[in-house]
Amino acid sequence: MIRENLEQVRKNIAAACERSGRDPSEVVLLAVSKTKPAEMIREAMSAGQRAFGENYVQELEEKYEIFGDSADWHMIGHLQRNKVRGVIGKAGLIHSVDSLRLAEQIEKESAKRDTVTNILIEVNVADEESKWGFTPEETEAAVRHISGYEHVHVCGLMTSAPITEDPESNRVYFRQLKELFDHIGEQKIENTDMRILSMGMTGDYIVAVEEGSTMVRVGTGIFGARNYN
Ligand SMILES: *Cc1c(COP(=O)(O)O)cnc(C)c1O
């Protein structure tokens, strides 16, 4: 089932790229494996999947213990400052940097380990009460501030658009984030790359790819519904 789902998602990404005149190799598929057991990850890996997204530090640590660097691990969930230590050196990319204090903690822990940690800046593009992240207006200043850290490298932006039945209603947010991404990229800020635009989940990744996403985070569409009990 996982193999078929992966094939279908890859096909959908390729078709969305074709419609929007993009090269499918520009889009990385991140399989969101939170709450899912190691066997399912193994199955996805045997179907050629390499990159996995996790939301909880302890779960990421457990899966890293099992698979190590045979897969690429991404931290996509809200990260508390006192948990940062657990992901340094394990997550190749932290998508969910939503405050300057968190970035500062990542800098500190990375310096201790003499490593540079790749991050994305999370943007609350729809200005939802319930969501973490910088407002679009704050984002450029945040990127500039964090670019001064030696052990943190900003690689782009991330957003989680509103949960909706109609993915078309998120198109405007994806378009807005892509504009911000391009605008910040044009500033050529030192020690910063705008090369990863992480947007699109199971419900809306096709629209996100049409609007310029370079990394989609798909969980349910690959592994099936999650059970939190
Ligand atoms: C859980 C999660 C996803 C995947 O959600 P699906 O709807 O299952 O594809 C993507 N991004 C973030 C930040 C998540 O927490």
Side-chain angles (χ1 to χ4, degrees), residues 32 34 55 76 158 160 201-203 217-221 226 228:
V32 176
K34 63 180 178 214
N55 282 57
I76 65 172
M158 176 270 211
S160 294
M201 308 178 18
T202 296
R217 310 181 307 266
V218 179
T220 310
R226 285 177 292 274
Y228 284 97

Side-chain angles (χ1 to χ4, degrees), residues 5-26:
N5 289 345
L6 275 166
E7 253 165 50
Q8 187 59 54
V9 173
R10 290 188 193 122
K11 268 191 205 156
N12 292 344
I13 291 170
C17 284
E18 180 139 2
R19 280 195 298 281
S20 47
R22 304 184 61 202
D23 182 338
S25 70
E26 291 170 21

Side-chain angles (χ1 to χ4, degrees), residues 1-211:
M1 193 61 179
I2 289 173
R3 179 178 296 269
E4 284 78 9
N5 289 345
L6 275 166
E7 253 165 50
Q8 187 59 54
V9 173
R10 290 188 193 122
K11 268 191 205 156
N12 292 344
I13 291 170
C17 284
E18 180 139 2
R19 280 195 298 281
S20 47
R22 304 184 61 202
D23 182 338
S25 70
E26 291 170 21
V27 183
V28 174
L29 171 58
L30 192 61
V32 176
S33 45
K34 63 180 178 214
T35 79
K36 298 297 182 181
E39 309 88 85
M40 292 181 96
I41 293 175
R42 217 167 268 125
E43 203 177 328
M45 286 172 78
S46 77
Q49 182 61 31
R50 166 98 208 170
F52 295 88
E54 290 287 339
N55 282 57
Y56 312 104
V57 173
Q58 193 188 331
E59 196 179 347
L60 190 145
E61 289 178 305
E62 284 165 9
K63 287 171 177 169
Y64 189 83
E65 189 74 20
I66 298 169
F67 295 100
D69 292 320
S70 65
D72 299 332
W73 300 99
H74 294 232
M75 178 62 193
I76 65 172
H78 175 62
L79 180 56
Q80 289 171 299
R81 287 184 304 139
N82 63 0
K83 301 264 177 74
V84 165
R85 190 174 309 136
V87 302
I88 302 299
K90 298 188 179 94
L93 184 66
I94 301 174
H95 292 229
S96 41
V97 175
D98 52 17
S99 74
L100 294 179
R101 294 176 75 211
L102 175 59
E104 189 186 358
Q105 188 68 24
I106 296 170
E107 164 67 18
K108 272 192 200 155
E109 292 295 340
S110 302
K112 274 189 207 160
R113 305 271 283 274
D114 196 22
T115 190
V116 174
T117 301
N118 291 325
I119 67 160
L120 304 179
I121 303 300
E122 181 167 357
V123 184
N124 182 358
V125 74
D127 201 12
E128 290 177 279
E129 273 307 320
S130 60
K131 288 261 167 81
W132 303 98
F134 294 92
T135 66
E137 293 73 25
E138 295 165 338
T139 299
E140 185 178 334
V143 172
R144 286 188 187 278
H145 183 93
I146 296 167
S147 73
Y149 292 144
E150 267 180 65
H151 303 88
V152 176
H153 190 78
V154 178
C155 300
L157 306 180
M158 176 270 211
T159 199
S160 294
I163 302 295
T164 170
E165 290 288 300
D166 174 19
E168 279 300 326
S169 66
N170 282 340
R171 187 179 293 278
V172 59
Y173 299 123
F174 295 141
R175 192 168 289 176
Q176 211 181 318
L177 195 66
K178 166 72 167 143
E179 276 172 23
L180 183 63
F181 176 79
D182 287 342
H183 172 77
I184 296 174
E186 284 160 14
Q187 315 299 308
K188 305 246 180 286
I189 299 169
E190 215 172 306
N191 185 34
T192 298
D193 285 311
M194 282 290 135
R195 60 185 173 80
I196 301 176
L197 182 55
S198 169
M199 58 184 194
M201 308 178 18
T202 296
D204 57 17
Y205 71 91
I206 293 173
V207 173
V209 169
E210 287 172 357
E211 295 299 330

